[in-house]
Amino acid sequence: MSQAAEHPSETYSFLGPAGTFTEAALKLVEAAEGKPWRSVNNVGEALDDVVTGRSVGAVIAIENSVDGGVSATQDALARIPGVRIVGEYLVPVDFVLVARHGTRLADVRTVNAHPVAYAQTHRWLETNVPGHGHIPASSNVAAAIALLDDRPVADAAVAPPGITDHHDLAVLADSIGDNTSAVTRFVLVSRTLAIPPRTGADKTSIIVELPADHPGALVDMLEQFATRGINMGLLSSRPIGDELGRYRFVVDLDGHVHDERVADALLGLRRFSPRVTFLGSYPRADGFRPEVSARYSDEAFVEARDWLRAIVSGEPDAG
C-alpha cells in the first residue's frame, strides 16, 4: 500500500512502520482499501494529519483488553479538537521474540520492546529469559528494526507476528503473549461531523470533566447514565493537568446519540459538567446489541415528553 500523502482527501494515517498492529487494524477499514496510507510516529502526529487535512482519517489504538485505556490516545483526543470517531476495529494481539540470525534464546540478555508489549509478555520473558534487561522501544516494529543496526542495543526484540515478512530476522519463539485472549481496540478518527446511522449495536464515546473535587462528584456524573439505563463499556480517568485533584473521564456508552436515552444523558451531562466532549457514535466492532428495558426505550422518552407538552398546553389529562 502506498505510503505517500499525495492525495490527502484519500490518505489514511497509521502508527507505523509496516507490520504494526495499527496497520493490521487499518486493513480492516473498508474505505481505506486501495487508498494511500501514511505511516506516522505517534498518536499526536496521526491526529494532526486529520486536523490539518493531510489525511482523511487515522487509525489509533484506544483500549487494550489487558492494560485498559491507552492514555496517550485519550489525552490526545481531549487535547486536539475537531475530530470524531467514526468506527472501531478489534485486532487480536500476540507477539514473537525475534533476533539476528545466529542468535540463540540462551544468548539473550537484553530485550527491546514497546512498554505495552513488554507488559503483555513479561511473564513469558521472566520464565524463559531469566534476568534479562528491558530496553523500551517507540513501537513494536521499531524494536525489531533496531536489531539490524550496526551496534544493536539489545539481543532480541518483542515484535508482532509476521515481522519477518518485512525484515530479515529470526524467530526465537512465537506466541509469547501472557494472555492468549488479548485484543486491542482501534478507532478510526475523521474530521467529518456526520454521525454514522445507528444500527442498534452502537457505541458513544465522550470525555467529561468534573465540575469540582468534592465528595460525590463522580457519583453525580455516573447517575446521568444509571438513571437512564445506560451501561458503560469504558470508564477511564485522566488528570487534566492544571492542578492536583482535577480529572477528566473518558467514557464509552452502550448506545447511539440518536437513542433517546443517550441523548437525554448527554443533555444531563451538559448541565452538570463544565466541559463535555462528544467523540462520536459509531457501530460496535463486536456487533453487540444491548437489551433495553421498556422504561428506557425511545417510546418511553417520547411518551413522557408528549405527556408534559400536553400539560403545558392545557390539554385534558388523558390518563
Side-chain angles (χ1 to χ4, degrees):
M1 194 67 61
S2 172
Q3 302 291 314
E6 297 176 357
H7 305 285
S9 62
E10 299 180 345
T11 299
Y12 288 81
S13 296
F14 72 100
L15 182 62
T20 62
F21 290 113
T22 311
E23 186 193 44
L26 183 53
K27 290 178 180 178
L28 300 176
V29 180
E30 291 184 6
E33 185 176 352
K35 303 296 176 60
W37 293 3
R38 171 177 157 81
S39 172
V40 300
N41 297 313
N42 53 62
V43 171
E45 186 179 353
L47 293 180
D48 186 63
D49 277 359
V50 174
V51 171
T52 59
R54 281 192 296 269
S55 296
V56 68
V59 170
I60 53 179
I62 196 169
E63 183 184 7
N64 182 271
S65 62
V66 176
D67 299 300
V70 179
S71 57
T73 297
Q74 294 174 345
D75 292 344
L77 288 171
R79 185 180 69 253
I80 301 175
V83 295
R84 290 278 178 85
I85 298 174
V86 295
E88 73 168 3
Y89 307 87
L90 303 179
V91 176
V93 175
D94 199 0
F95 300 94
V96 297
L97 188 69
V98 295
R100 296 168 73 120
H101 290 284
T103 303
R104 301 173 304 165
L105 186 61
D107 299 329
V108 177
R109 297 291 180 269
T110 54
V111 176
N112 198 2
H114 186 276
V116 173
Y118 185 75
Q120 295 182 34
T121 58
H122 72 93
R123 288 200 297 272
W124 187 95
L125 290 169
E126 288 170 359
T127 299
N128 295 277
V129 192
H132 70 274
H134 169 222
I135 299 175
S138 60
S139 76
N140 296 311
V141 174
I145 293 175
L147 295 174
L148 300 175
D149 291 345
D150 292 337
R151 295 183 179 181
V153 297
D155 302 314
V158 175
I163 188 67
T164 53
D165 294 339
H166 303 280
H167 304 284
D168 188 22
L169 294 166
V171 175
L172 300 183
D174 53 22
S175 299
I176 67 172
D178 296 328
N179 188 330
T180 57
S181 301
V183 174
T184 295
R185 173 178 159 235
F186 294 84
V187 291
L188 175 62
V189 178
S190 171
R191 281 188 303 169
T192 180
L193 298 181
I195 298 173
R198 63 175 175 173
T199 65
D202 304 294
K203 185 177 293 183
T204 294
S205 297
I206 57 176
I207 298 176
V208 185
E209 292 185 8
L210 295 183
D213 181 23
H214 63 79
L218 179 57
V219 173
D220 290 343
M221 183 190 80
L222 298 180
E223 283 182 344
Q224 304 296 327
F225 312 127
T227 57
R228 294 167 176 88
I230 300 173
N231 184 56
M232 293 179 297
L234 172 70
L235 176 64
S236 180
S237 65
R238 296 295 304 155
I240 295 175
D242 53 358
E243 60 181 88
L244 286 173
R246 290 255 294 146
Y247 287 86
R248 63 171 62 99
F249 291 84
V250 182
V251 187
D252 284 343
L253 306 175
D254 286 350
H256 193 281
V257 69
H258 289 158
D259 295 335
E260 293 283 349
R261 68 187 187 281
V262 175
D264 201 57
L266 294 184
L267 290 175
L269 286 173
R270 181 67 177 177
R271 295 191 300 269
F272 158 81
S273 171
R275 184 182 179 191
V276 180
T277 302
F278 177 76
L279 295 178
S281 289
Y282 46 91
R284 297 176 60 111
D286 58 10
F288 174 75
R289 293 174 176 263
E291 293 186 10
V292 180
S293 169
R295 63 189 291 195
Y296 302 122
S297 66
D298 284 0
E299 293 76 15
F301 281 90
V302 171
E303 190 279 331
R305 281 202 306 269
D306 289 344
W307 171 80
L308 182 59
R309 186 180 301 111
I311 291 175
V312 173
S313 300
E315 298 177 13
D317 188 353

